[in-house]
C-alpha cells in the first residue's frame, strides 16, 4: 500500500503559517493535518474555521481535518465550506455515527472516524465499510509532542485484518508520537496514512524525514 504523510500544523510556526504550509508541500507531504480542539472533548484549544480558510487559500495539498470537538455534526457543513477535504470525527463523542458519516459525504468531503487509545477495535468495526479512513490515535488526543503508545499497534493489526476480511480498503491513519521508528511499527501493523507534528516541523530536513516515512513498505 502506498504510504501517505500528513504533517500536523499543530506544531508549525504560526507566525509564518503560509510558509509552513508551503514547506510541507515542497517537502513532499501528501496532505495537511489540521487539529481542531474545543477545550471540552480534549483539554486544549487549538484553532478553527477562520484559520482553516486562511490555510485553504495557500495550500496545494488536501486538508485532512481532525475534529477533537463535541457535537461534530453541528460544524461539518462549515468545515467543508471552509476547505476541509477529509473530515475525521471521534467515535467517543457519542454522536449518531451513521448520520455524521452521511452528512460529511453529502457535503462533498471524505469521511473518517477516529478512536482514542483505550477504545477497542470492535467498537468501530461496524463502521469500517462506511468510512474512507479510520484514525487510530497513538497518544491521548489533545497535545503534540507526546510519547507514542505501543499498545495501540495490536489495534491497528486488528483493524487492518477486519478491513481485509470485509474486502474494503479504508485508509488507516495513525496520529501521535510518530517519528521514523514509530512510523515503521505502525506501517508494519497495517497503517498507511502517517500524521506527524513535532517530529516533522522541528526538523531542518523535513523532506528527508517525509521521504524516509514514505519509503516504508506496508
Ligand atoms: C494530538 C493531535 C496530533 C498532534 C500530533 O491530539 O491529534 O495531530 O499534532 O503531534 P505529534 O506528532 O507531535 O505527536
Ligand atoms: Zn490529529
Amino acid at each position: 500500500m502506498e504510504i501517505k504523510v500528513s504533517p500536523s500544523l499543530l506544531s508549525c510556526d504560526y507566525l509564518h503559517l503560509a510558509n509552513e504550509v508551503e514547506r510541507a508541500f515542497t517537502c513532499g507531504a501528501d496532505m495537511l493535518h489540521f487539529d481542531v480542539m474545543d477545550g471540552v472533548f480534549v483539554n486544549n484549544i487549538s484553532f478553527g474555521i477562520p484559520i482553516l480558510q486562511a490555510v485553504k487559500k495557500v495550500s496545494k495539498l488536501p486538508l485532512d481535518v481532525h475534529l477533537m470537538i463535541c457535537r461534530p455534526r453541528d460544524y461539518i457543513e462549515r468545515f467543508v465550506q471552509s476547505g476541509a477535504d477529509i473530515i475525521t470525527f471521534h467515535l467517543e463523542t457519542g454522536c449518531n455515527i451513521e448520520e455524521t458519516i452521511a452528512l460529511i459525504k453529502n457535503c462533498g468531503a471524505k469521511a473518517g472516524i477516529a478512536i482514542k487509545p483505550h477504545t477497542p477495535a470492535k467498537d468501530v468495526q461496524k463502521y469500517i465499510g462506511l468510512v474512507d479512513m479510520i484514525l487510530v490515535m497513538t497518544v491521548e488526543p489533545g497535545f503534540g509532542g507526546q510519547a507514542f503508545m505501543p499498545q495501540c499497534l495490536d489495534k491497528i493489526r486488528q483493524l487492518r485484518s477486519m478491513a481485509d476480511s470485509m474486502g474494503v480498503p479504508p485508509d488507516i491513519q495513525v496520529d501521535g508520537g510518530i517519528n521514523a521508528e514509530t512510523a515503521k511499527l505502525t506501517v508494519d501493523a497495517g497503517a498507511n496514512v502517517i500524521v506527524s507534528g513535532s517530529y516533522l516541523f522541528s526538523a531542518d530536513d523535513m523532506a528527508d524525514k517525509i521521504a524516509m516515512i514514505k519509503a516504508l513498505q506496508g
Side-chain angles (χ1 to χ4, degrees):
M1 239 176 157
E2 187 202 344
I3 307 300
K4 296 180 203 148
V5 176
S6 188
S8 170
L9 288 174
L10 192 64
S11 292
C12 82
D13 176 355
Y14 300 144
L15 277 179
H16 302 98
L17 186 54
N19 294 348
E20 293 287 67
V21 169
E22 183 62 21
R23 175 158 76 118
F25 172 73
T26 55
C27 290
D30 297 283
M31 55 184 102
L32 272 180
H33 189 79
F34 190 90
D35 287 299
V36 181
M37 304 180 188
D38 65 356
V40 182
F41 184 75
V42 291
N43 295 321
N44 199 6
I45 297 174
S46 58
F47 36 63
I49 286 167
I51 306 293
L52 184 67
Q53 290 168 340
V55 169
K56 188 70 180 178
K57 282 188 192 152
V58 295
S59 177
K60 302 180 188 93
L61 294 172
L63 302 182
D64 157 36
V65 174
H66 176 195
L67 296 181
M68 286 163 276
I69 63 173
C70 300
R71 300 186 288 108
R73 275 188 64 172
D74 294 358
Y75 299 93
I76 281 162
E77 282 182 72
R78 275 180 281 167
F79 274 104
V80 175
Q81 284 161 8
S82 302
D85 296 285
I86 306 171
I87 296 198
T88 300
F89 65 98
H90 271 266
L91 178 80
E92 301 86 357
T93 55
C95 66
N96 183 312
I97 305 293
E98 283 95 343
E99 285 182 18
T100 305
I101 294 167
L103 177 60
I104 296 171
K105 291 187 169 180
N106 288 340
C107 288
K110 290 188 172 176
I113 187 160
I115 50 174
K116 299 205 272 188
H118 296 289
T119 301
K122 67 172 173 39
D123 288 13
V124 84
Q125 185 167 14
K126 65 178 169 177
Y127 308 115
I128 292 175
L130 303 178
V131 292
D132 300 289
M133 188 165 79
I134 300 167
L135 166 52
V136 177
M137 289 302 302
T138 44
V139 298
E140 282 299 333
F143 296 89
Q146 303 181 76
F148 178 79
M149 297 170 68
Q151 56 270 46
C152 300
L153 290 168
D154 257 348
K155 191 159 54 178
I156 299 167
R157 273 182 220 109
Q158 287 166 24
L159 286 166
R160 181 54 76 199
S161 96
M162 285 173 187
D164 285 349
S165 64
M166 291 166 63
V168 289
D171 285 325
I172 298 185
Q173 183 177 58
V174 287
D175 181 11
I178 301 289
N179 54 37
E181 291 75 43
T182 54
K184 174 158 179 31
L185 300 176
T186 67
V187 167
D188 287 347
N192 67 308
V193 183
I194 310 298
V195 176
S196 180
S198 47
Y199 175 68
L200 291 181
F201 278 100
S202 68
D204 293 331
D205 55 346
M206 187 195 276
D208 290 352
K209 292 197 156 55
I210 290 178
M212 260 184 334
I213 295 173
K214 286 178 69 73
L216 295 169
Q217 292 298 322

